[in-house]
Each structure stands twice: as C-alpha cells, then as structure tokens.
C-alpha cells in the first residue's frame, strides 16, 4: 500500500523520522532536505519539521509567520508551502546569553539562556514567560508535528546540535525529547570530513538513556571523500559495537548552496559559495564586499548576487577590504546599534562615508538600511535610546515593540520585485532621489536612494531576476566597470537544481528502502542497549 492510498483510505497518521547529528553542522539540514526532495519525487506528500531552531537566518511565510530559513528551504525541497507548523519555536540570538523567542511565527519576548534552558518548572530570573516552559513548549511542538502528520504522508524532522547534550536533556524538545514524545525513529548523521566519526557515533549512542537509545535506528555518514570500500570494515565494527546499521555514506559535495542555519558561523574570509559558475558575460567582473557585522542576519540575501556569472562576493571586516569593492552591502543584523558601534570602531563607518562622497555604490538591507540613516531611536532592541546613524541616507528610524512581518511586492528600476520583511525598526524617509521600491502607480513602498547609496527593508529582493540585473547594471555604471549581467540567470531554477542534487545524494548513496521502512513502520524491535547510558 502506498502512502497516498493509506491516507486516502483511512486518514491514518503519516510516518515520521528524526534526523539527528553527532554535532552542530554535521549535515542535518542537508540530509533532511535531501530526504524531503527524494520523497517528493516519489509522489509522497512530505513536510519538514524542526521543533526548535536557533538561527539569525529567518523567513516569512505567506500567513506572516517567521520561521527558520532552513525550514523554508526544506519546504521548497518537499515542494510544499512553508508554514509556522514546520518550526514552532525559533530562537534569535541578541547576544551570547539571550535570544528573542518566536513562538508559532510571532515574537513573544526576550529570554536569557539560563531562563530558557533551566530545569522544567524552575522560574526564570526576572521573567515568568517560560515558567513550566518545557511542558508547554513540548505540548506545542508535538501538536504541530501531529497536525503535519495528519495532513501529510510523512514528516522529516531535524534535530538541533547533538542529542547527547546531556546537560540539556531535561529540557529537550527538539532531539530525543521530541522523538520520545512522538515515538518516531532517529537516524544520526556524522560529518566524517571532520574526523572522529566512529567515536562520535558510538559516543552519541552510549551517552543516551536506555529509553532514548531504543529509538536510535541507524547512522548516516556525511561528507566522505575517497573509496567507500576502505570505510566498510569500520562500519561493520560499529554495527557490532552498537547493533545498528549505517544506512548510507554520502560523498562530499561541493557548492550545494543551500540556506545556512546560523549566520553566527559564517566565514569572514571565504567566498559565499563554492559553486562553479559561468565566465563573466562582460569584459570585467564585479566585486561585492559584505560587511560581516555582529549578529548578522539573513546573509543569504547576497546568495543571488553570488549566483551571477562574473560577480565575486566576499565577507569583510576591515576598512581596507572595501577599497577594491564595486558594491558594498550592509546586511541585516539582530543588533543594529551594536553593529553601528562595530563599524565605527573598525574604521568601516569612515570608509563607507568616503565611498558615498565619491559616488561609489553602497546597499543596506534591513538593519543595514537602518544604519545608513541619520538617527535611530531604539528603546526596544538595544534600549540605547537615540543614536546617530551613518548619515548616508535621509532616514530616521524608530524601533517599535511590534515586529513587522510581511511578504510585499512592487516595482524597482522598472522591474517587478518581491521580498519579505522582518524588522522592529520603522523608517521615516525625509528626502532622497527616489524610493527603493514603489507600487504599480509609482507610489513609494519602501526604502530610498541618495546618490549611489541605496537602502531597503526587503530581504530577498535580489532574488527577483530582472531587478537584480537592473541593479547590477546601475552598480557597474557607477563603478565604471565593463560588467554585463548574464541575461538568463534564474535564481529560482538554480535553487531547484541544488535541491535536486540533495535528493540525488539520498537516492544514490543512502539505503532508501531502509529509510522508507523506518518512516512507514517506526522503530524496529530489539535494538540493543549500549552501556553506560545516561542516568
């Protein structure tokens, strides 16, 4: 019986699987997306799910809910519209010790790490928002998962960090806590490119309690380079030690180009993507420098630039690195005032002012747009009060308690453009040469331009192909570069190609029959206990 037949005949609850990892960045997001795309290609109605996500890269759904951008990418892999059900809890760090809590797509407050991860029932210091929070949040996430399983044939869940973080097990709602509550099998992913994968698989299993271990059904090796036959003796020994099979060895794949989960770990030096692209369409390349501000958010905005043949994108944190840039991008941030202080302390603020005076292009997106303005009144995010901006755009920003979450569309530079908004800052434009984006009648919708300095609150606007090409032509003209954007770059098509590559990784290198059995039938009986186990 196929999934579709099962759901149509009896409305049965769909199958489920949790993809956990031995570490952060082991490849959980990639594997989850790959399984979603593989299942979707088989005609299975599949949805992604991550109970709790900590990320500064977020997205706005059609209904105006904020979720992790990785889950939006996984929804695209599953060929379904993303919803708040797919990421009910999102934590957006505001410092090393506190985060904004987004519940079912809406911000509900700021909470310290101690307050959030303290023991269940333990009151938060100075904040009762999450008293008894573990039980409440676990109920919320299991309800969301149950709804997705009711309306889909399968739900592929992504864990967070490692399930063996025994210091956090009491309050866990995203790894084994979720698996236990929903009775779904767990596959553990390990990054062998880092080394120590066998120890990580064994140690992760052995640190779990007997009840948790009973749900760990197998392993997936990720980022393997070389001859897989050389790995097989170790996989057999691992099976002998744990009683669990390795369900696939995924090869190292360059340039997958998927949305990153966490902007805090972005490289400040490397190229934004490793993908091989075509040669420049014109005689020269266009160089883009992205200021790697603290608490950088939605740095995926520049992915569409990096996908253009002849556009070189790099992240920078020194003033001298702006010297040869044809375009400087100030990205979003969860700490606008803090980022301003950082720009000034590192000499980047002065370098940006010199660029503007010389007529050299600068683009600010969301928090970057706010920083380019004249004045910021912030009694919400930093509580710093009135702060001077960079003064490069005629804009005054006031931070509102309520967050703007929207999916707007309009026209810019004669081209249709779409985006999404995630910000507390409300901008008052007091001058400038033109709006960044307008409606069909030419009325200003958002942002502004003053000389060669541009600013907008719209994340994702550069993914609109016609507008991106028009903007790059304008930048090339201002920079005096013989750069011509390729006429046929389609960012949406490139994303689809990348998602298909993820599906290919699963289809060609994983035991898909074994994965399907786990999704359909649940945890196999008789999985052995690996001592010592957590108390």
């Amino acid at each position: 019986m196929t999934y579709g037949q099962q759901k149509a005949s009896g409305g049965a609850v769909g199958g489920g699987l949790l993809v956990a990892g031995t570490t952060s960045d082991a490849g959980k997001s990639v594997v989850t997306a790959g399984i979603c795309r593989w299942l979707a290609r088989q005609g299975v109605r599949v949805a992604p799910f991550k109970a709790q996500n900590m990320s500064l890269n977020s997205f706005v759904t059609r209904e105006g809910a904020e979720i992790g951008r990785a889950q939006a990418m996984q929804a695209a892999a599953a060929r379904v519209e993303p919803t708040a059900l797919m990421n009910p809890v999102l934590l957006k760090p505001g410092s090393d010790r506190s985060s904004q809590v987004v519940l079912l797509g809406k911000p509900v407050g700021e909470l310290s790490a101690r307050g959030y991860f303290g023991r269940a029932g333990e009151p938060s210091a100075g904040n009762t928002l999450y008293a008894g929070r573990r039980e409440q949040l676990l109920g919320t996430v299991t309800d969301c998962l149950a709804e997705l399983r009711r309306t889909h044939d399968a739900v592929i869940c992504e864990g967070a960090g490692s399930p063996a973080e025994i210091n956090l097990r009491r309050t866990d709602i995203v790894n084994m806590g979720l698996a236990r509550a929903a009775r779904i099998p767990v596959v553990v992913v390990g990054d062998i490119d880092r080394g120590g994968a066998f120890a990580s698989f064994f140690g992760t299993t052995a640190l779990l309690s007997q009840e948790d271990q009973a749900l760990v059904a197998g392993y997936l090796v990720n980022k393997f380079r070389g001859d897989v036959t050389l790995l097989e003796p170790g996989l057999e020994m691992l099976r002998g030690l744990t009683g669990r099979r390795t369900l696939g060895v995924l090869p190292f794949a360059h340039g997958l180009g998927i949305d990153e989960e966490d902007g805090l770990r972005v490289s400040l030096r490397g190229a934004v993507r490793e993908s091989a692209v075509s040669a420049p369409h014109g005689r020269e390349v266009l160089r883009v420098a992205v200021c790697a501000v603290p608490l950088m958010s939605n740095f995926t905005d520049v992915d569409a630039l990096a996908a253009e043949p002849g556009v070189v994108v790099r992240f920078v944190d020194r003033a001298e690195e702006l010297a040869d840039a044809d375009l400087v991008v100030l990205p979003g941030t969860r700490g606008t005032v803090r980022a301003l202080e950082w720009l000034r302390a590192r000499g980047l603020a002065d370098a940006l002012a010199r660029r503007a005076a010389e007529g050299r292009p600068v683009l600010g997106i969301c928090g970057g747009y706010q920083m380019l303005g004249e004045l910021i009144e912030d009694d919400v995010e930093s509580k710093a009060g009135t702060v001077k901006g960079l003064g490069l755009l005629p804009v005054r920003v006031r931070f509102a308690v309520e967050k703007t979450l929207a999916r707007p569309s309009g026209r810019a530079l004669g081209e249709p453009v779409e985006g999404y908004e995630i910000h507390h800052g409300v901008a008052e434009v007091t001058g400038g040469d033109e709006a960044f984006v307008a409606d069909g009648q030419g009325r200003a919708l958002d942002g502004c331009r003053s000389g060669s300095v541009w600013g907008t609150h719209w994340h994702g606007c550069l993914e609109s192909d016609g507008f991106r090409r028009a903007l790059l032509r304008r930048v090339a003209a201002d920079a005096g570069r013989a750069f011509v954007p390729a006429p046929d770059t389609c960012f949406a098509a490139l994303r689809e190609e990348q998602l298909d590559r993820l599906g290919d990784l699963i289809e060609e290198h994983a035991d898909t029959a074994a994965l399907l059995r786990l999704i359909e039938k649940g945890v196999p009986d008789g999985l052995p206990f690996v001592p010592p186990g957590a108390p």
Side-chain angles (χ1 to χ4, degrees), residues 195-256:
F198 290 119
S200 296
F201 284 133
F202 180 84
T204 296
T205 309
L207 275 177
L208 301 179
S209 68
Q210 186 166 356
E211 294 79 8
D212 286 351
Q213 284 191 30
L215 299 175
V216 176
Y219 310 114
L220 274 170
V221 175
N222 192 30
K223 298 184 183 178
F224 179 71
R225 307 173 192 249
D227 184 349
V228 73
T229 61
L230 299 177
L231 194 64
E232 288 170 353
L235 301 179
E236 282 303 312
M237 284 187 274
L238 181 65
R239 183 175 184 177
L241 289 166
T242 66
R244 291 157 174 84
R245 291 180 52 221
T246 297
L247 305 178
V249 178
L250 309 182
F252 192 103
H254 288 279
L256 288 175

Side-chain angles (χ1 to χ4, degrees), residues 123-154:
S124 306
N127 192 328
T128 59
L129 176 64
Y130 280 98
R133 65 205 157 277
R134 195 265 183 185
E135 291 85 352
Q136 296 170 4
L137 290 180
L138 183 60
T140 297
V141 301
T142 54
D143 286 348
C144 290
L145 177 56
E147 178 62 16
L148 287 174
R149 293 179 75 181
R150 187 185 67 80
T151 55
H152 294 79
D153 302 323

Side-chain angles (χ1 to χ4, degrees), residues 358-381:
E358 295 165 0
R360 303 175 66 196
V362 176
L363 170 64
I365 301 176
C366 199
Y369 168 40
Q370 296 166 6
M371 286 185 274
L372 290 172
E374 299 168 341
L375 208 64
I376 296 172
E377 296 179 23
D378 181 11
D379 294 318
V380 176
E381 188 177 78

